[in-house]
Amino acid sequence: MNNAQYRWLELFCIFILLPVAGLLMREYLHNWLIPALITLTAVCCFILLTDPHFKRFRITSMGQFSAVRKRIATFFLTGALFSGVLYGILNQENWFSYPLQSPLSWLMLLILYPLLSVLPQELIFRTYFFHRYKPIIPSKTWRIWLSASVFSLAHMVYGNWVAIVLSFCGGLLFSYTYAHSRSTLVCVLEHSLWGLWMFTLGLGSYLDSGAI
């Protein structure tokens, strides 16, 4: 097996086989998603940091933030306004239910979600994916679409189509941001904004391991 074949096999096992296995065993995964995510992050980071071709500053610097900051702000403000109004019309009883009913849990979420969920996801699905599979997927456009696709596939474990659709749309945004900013931190910032907004708005029930 040559290097290209090995990487295709690795991509299939990590980003397709694992999510499918997670879906099949979802009833047994309650409270284990975050530990599994952190374990996979540790493996991916080890591979990245031992790769002499990987530029480590991609993780710690803001990269080309100036190239994407206007788009990030515009998309988020427009999307937050639209989704807030639409969700308020369609599901008014759950509108902003999380901060109103569980303010302490919501405040903990603001702190822990970026660290325990967003950062690992961006390291795996953006930093690792873009670098590791560049030799077999040289097209940046294809990497953006494939990253978004496997990102949404990973969210099958939540067992609802809303999580899959939201994660695919978010995956496109975050992958585009990484491709043009070349910064994990910028992606973490954007992902955190959208994720925390979804939880605050009331859509968090679709993206919560406690719902499994």
Side-chain angles (χ1 to χ4, degrees):
M1 181 181 296
N2 60 37
N3 186 57
Q5 292 172 329
Y6 175 81
R7 295 203 184 200
W8 277 115
L9 178 62
E10 178 189 282
L11 188 156
F12 175 79
C13 291
I14 294 177
F15 295 99
I16 297 178
L17 194 59
L18 274 182
V20 171
L23 177 63
L24 296 176
M25 298 187 295
R26 62 184 298 270
E27 59 183 292
Y28 305 106
L29 293 179
H30 182 59
N31 293 330
W32 287 99
L33 289 183
I34 292 298
L37 180 65
I38 292 175
T39 300
L40 181 57
T41 303
V43 173
C44 291
C45 284
F46 175 79
I47 295 174
L48 281 176
L49 296 177
T50 54
D51 183 346
H53 300 291
F54 177 64
K55 299 175 181 178
R56 298 186 180 188
F57 64 83
R58 297 252 192 266
I59 297 177
T60 57
S61 77
M62 293 296 284
Q64 302 298 316
F65 178 57
S66 59
V68 297
R69 62 185 177 187
K70 183 177 181 180
R71 182 195 58 79
I72 291 176
T74 302
F75 270 62
F76 177 72
L77 293 175
T78 303
L81 178 61
F82 176 78
S83 60
V85 172
L86 181 62
Y87 193 67
I89 294 173
L90 297 178
N91 201 352
Q92 189 173 4
E93 62 272 17
N94 290 324
W95 202 43
F96 294 101
S97 59
Y98 194 22
L100 292 175
Q101 297 176 9
S102 305
L104 291 179
S105 296
W106 177 71
L107 288 174
M108 288 185 62
L109 178 76
L110 296 182
I111 299 171
L112 297 179
Y113 175 70
L115 295 175
L116 299 181
S117 182
V118 174
L119 179 58
Q121 289 182 67
E122 290 308 312
L123 284 168
I124 295 169
F125 290 97
R126 253 59 70 179
T127 311
Y128 183 83
F129 189 93
F130 271 74
H131 174 76
R132 182 71 172 170
Y133 305 119
K134 183 177 180 180
I136 59 174
I137 312 172
S139 169
K140 185 183 294 185
T141 301
W142 273 109
R143 271 179 285 148
I144 289 172
W145 282 95
L146 286 174
S147 172
S149 298
V150 297
F151 184 61
S152 65
L153 189 66
H155 287 75
M156 289 194 309
V157 70
Y158 294 116
N160 65 82
W161 65 269
V162 177
I164 295 173
V165 172
L166 288 177
S167 58
F168 179 74
C169 295
L172 284 177
L173 284 177
F174 312 146
S175 297
Y176 182 90
T177 294
Y178 185 79
H180 290 81
S181 70
R182 301 178 181 180
S183 168
T184 304
L185 287 181
V186 173
C187 290
V188 169
L189 172 63
E190 183 178 32
H191 190 161
S192 297
L193 284 173
W194 281 104
L196 290 172
W197 170 250
M198 292 294 105
F199 278 102
T200 300
L201 184 60
L203 287 166
S205 59
Y206 297 105
L207 300 165
D208 186 359
S209 60
I212 293 178

